[in-house]
């Protein structure tokens, strides 16, 4: 389990006397989970949260999720991974701005965005290099269990 969280303060100062200064906080957080299951299966999960302060308005927070499973075969030579992004919800963004123009006029702007971003991914990978770490583990196991190869028996 790993994660992080950041809060940053942003401030906006205009050279125009018409635009009043504004400030706000931006937040970002993430959490990643990896878990080993039986039969060389790994569970993966990620959760991301963020919200940004705008110079002249505000926006809504966003939450994204990613989940997947990975299975290895042939002593870690071949791997297959299935993952899905945002399986539970659609992303809905809202942003509003209250702006003064150089001539003293004022306008208000809103933006609503609905993003349907469910993505499914299937990946297959093959390692062409020798897995020396796996071989070393097997050698240590043989030594610890006092196994002797047929070539060394006399």
């Amino acid at each position: 389990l790993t994660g992080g969280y950041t809060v940053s303060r942003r401030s906006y100062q205009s050279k125009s006397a018409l635009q009043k200064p504004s400030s706000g906080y931006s937040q970002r957080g993430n959490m990643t989970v990896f878990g080993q299951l039986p039969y060389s299966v790994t569970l993966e999960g990620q959760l991301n949260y963020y919200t940004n302060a705008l110079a002249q308005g505000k926006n809504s927070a966003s939450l994204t999720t990613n989940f997947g499973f990975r299975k290895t075969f042939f002593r870690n030579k071949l791997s297959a991974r299935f993952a899905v992004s945002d399986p539970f919800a659609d992303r809905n963004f809202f942003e509003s701005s209250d702006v003064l123009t150089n001539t003293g006029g004022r306008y208000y702007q809103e933006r609503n965005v609905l993003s349907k971003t469910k993505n499914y991914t299937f990946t297959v990978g093959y390692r062409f290099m020798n897995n020396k770490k796996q071989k070393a583990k097997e050698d240590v196991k043989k030594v610890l269990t006092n196994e002797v190869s047929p070539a060394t028996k006399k």
Side-chain angles (χ1 to χ4, degrees):
L1 175 70
T2 62
Y5 187 76
T6 304
V7 176
S8 58
R9 185 175 191 284
R10 295 186 184 191
S11 62
Y12 175 75
Q13 199 74 17
S14 175
K15 294 182 181 180
S16 169
L18 298 174
Q19 183 66 43
K20 59 183 177 180
S22 67
S23 63
Y25 291 92
S26 295
Q27 301 174 52
R28 293 186 180 276
N30 68 347
M31 182 174 64
T32 304
V33 175
F34 287 96
Q36 189 68 39
L37 301 174
Y39 306 107
S40 300
V41 175
T42 303
L43 171 68
E44 307 167 351
Q46 186 175 39
L47 182 72
N48 297 301
Y49 170 83
Y50 66 92
T51 181
N52 287 322
L54 303 174
Q56 300 165 333
K58 62 181 179 177
N59 70 350
S60 62
S62 176
L63 183 67
T64 60
T65 55
N66 301 302
F67 296 100
F69 291 94
R70 185 178 58 218
K71 168 89 172 123
T72 58
F73 305 92
F74 308 121
R75 294 186 181 180
N76 271 347
K77 285 280 200 179
L78 180 70
S79 66
R81 181 176 184 262
F82 175 75
V84 59
S85 297
D86 287 333
F88 305 119
D90 298 326
R91 294 184 204 178
N92 191 7
F93 298 101
F94 174 75
E95 185 175 296
S96 65
S97 298
D98 188 7
V99 180
L100 288 172
T101 64
N102 290 338
T103 60
R106 176 178 221 124
Y107 71 89
Y108 184 75
Q109 177 182 357
E110 285 187 0
R111 186 173 75 137
N112 285 304
V113 177
L114 177 62
S115 177
K116 297 182 181 233
T117 59
K118 290 181 178 101
N119 292 316
Y120 300 93
T121 307
F122 181 72
T123 309
V124 176
Y126 186 81
R127 296 181 193 199
F128 292 98
M129 302 292 289
N130 283 339
N131 195 343
K132 292 180 182 179
K133 191 174 186 180
Q134 181 69 26
K135 174 81 169 106
K137 281 183 183 179
E138 290 172 3
D139 290 345
V140 168
K141 186 177 178 181
K142 284 180 184 178
V143 169
L144 292 176
T145 58
N146 293 324
E147 289 183 17
V148 180
S149 66
T152 58
K153 286 185 179 179
K154 293 186 180 180

